[in-house]
Amino acid sequence: MLLIGFNGFSQKFTKDEKAFILEGDVNTGLPIYQTDKKEQQKVLLALSQDISPKDKTLPILVERMRLALAATEGGVGIAAPQIGINRNVILVQRFDKMDYPVEYFINPKILWRSELLNKGLEGDLSIDKFREPFYRSYSIRLEYYDLQNKKHDEMVEGFTAVIFQHEIDHLSGILISDKFKKEKGLQYKEVKVYQKNKN
């Protein structure tokens, strides 16, 4: 017999994951994994899984991710694989909100992407000295859960949408260094949205 938990999220952290999250001082950020370390790169390239929003260890993970992000110089987002946990949890700085708060998102999914693209430079907390231009959808429709197990659905655009796309890529084991190699040479047609009609 197959039993499915509420909202389909029956998975909780494993014993090893809990031990990892609770290791050391829980009031400090967890170290950020780097691609130049073989064992850490394996985690960064692995596919992450959903987590039950009601797992009691999840708020601690979210806070330790927040502290890890806060300790960086200019970081605007972080995904759980970047601190060693292959679970679908991300933090994003919301430049589309007043005071630019950093917010968490559990089991985020992109339901729709605009065909209109935005091109901009991206770096990565897990890749030293990497900064290259990428095309991302200008706007996305996002679905996610909060710690109260409440489902949210919203539209996001601009730079904040770019951050979401970057962090959600991490959950699929996609690194921007590999993405850059694949996209190099692809042709995009530039659209001048505000160009006046000459006729």
Side-chain angles (χ1 to χ4, degrees):
M1 182 186 292
L2 178 66
L3 296 175
I4 300 175
F6 183 66
N7 282 340
F9 302 127
S10 57
Q11 280 200 9
K12 293 195 173 185
F13 289 118
T14 65
K15 187 178 179 181
D16 287 344
E17 286 174 327
K18 282 184 182 179
F20 184 89
I21 294 166
L22 299 173
E23 188 178 8
D25 183 357
V26 295
N27 296 310
T28 61
L30 287 161
I32 296 175
Y33 276 32
Q34 300 298 310
T35 56
D36 60 359
K37 295 180 180 176
K38 196 172 181 181
E39 290 305 310
Q40 295 185 3
Q41 187 183 35
K42 282 183 183 178
V43 176
L44 291 166
L45 292 174
L47 190 66
S48 292
Q49 299 178 324
D50 281 345
I51 181 67
S52 169
K54 290 187 172 182
D55 191 294
K56 292 179 181 178
T57 310
L58 187 52
I60 299 170
L61 173 65
V62 169
E63 179 59 12
R64 297 198 78 177
M65 287 174 64
R66 187 189 68 78
L67 292 168
L69 181 61
T72 67
E73 292 182 10
V76 294
I78 192 169
Q82 290 182 279
I83 50 83
I85 298 291
N86 285 122
R87 295 292 185 164
N88 291 332
V89 182
I90 63 172
L91 267 66
V92 168
Q93 186 165 7
R94 299 295 301 258
F95 288 92
D96 55 345
K97 292 186 177 182
M98 191 176 292
D99 298 326
Y100 310 142
V102 172
E103 299 179 351
Y104 70 88
F105 303 87
I106 302 167
N107 305 324
K109 304 282 185 297
I110 295 175
L111 304 178
W112 172 86
R113 301 172 191 256
S114 69
E115 290 185 15
L116 180 64
L117 303 178
N118 182 63
K119 184 180 182 183
L121 288 172
E122 291 184 35
D124 196 296
L125 299 176
S126 294
I127 309 173
D128 188 41
K129 297 176 182 176
F130 184 92
R131 195 163 172 80
E132 295 290 347
F134 288 88
Y135 286 96
R136 300 278 190 181
S137 291
Y138 178 77
S139 57
I140 59 172
R141 182 182 167 198
L142 185 73
E143 176 186 280
Y144 61 92
Y145 287 80
D146 61 26
L147 288 168
Q148 285 69 50
N149 206 23
K150 184 179 178 183
K151 186 177 180 180
H152 299 265
D153 187 321
E154 66 174 296
M155 295 292 296
V156 185
E157 62 181 29
F159 183 49
T160 302
V162 169
I163 304 170
F164 272 110
Q165 290 169 83
H166 177 110
E167 301 309 333
I168 289 174
D169 271 356
H170 270 298
L171 303 181
S172 296
I174 299 170
L175 299 174
I176 58 171
S177 51
D178 297 328
K179 189 179 177 71
F180 180 70
K181 289 174 190 173
K182 287 180 183 177
E183 289 187 355
K184 207 169 184 181
L186 289 178
Q187 298 296 313
Y188 294 92
K189 183 179 178 183
E190 186 174 354
V191 179
K192 302 226 181 255
V193 180
Y194 300 107
Q195 188 174 26
K196 289 183 180 179
N197 193 330
K198 292 180 180 178
N199 295 332

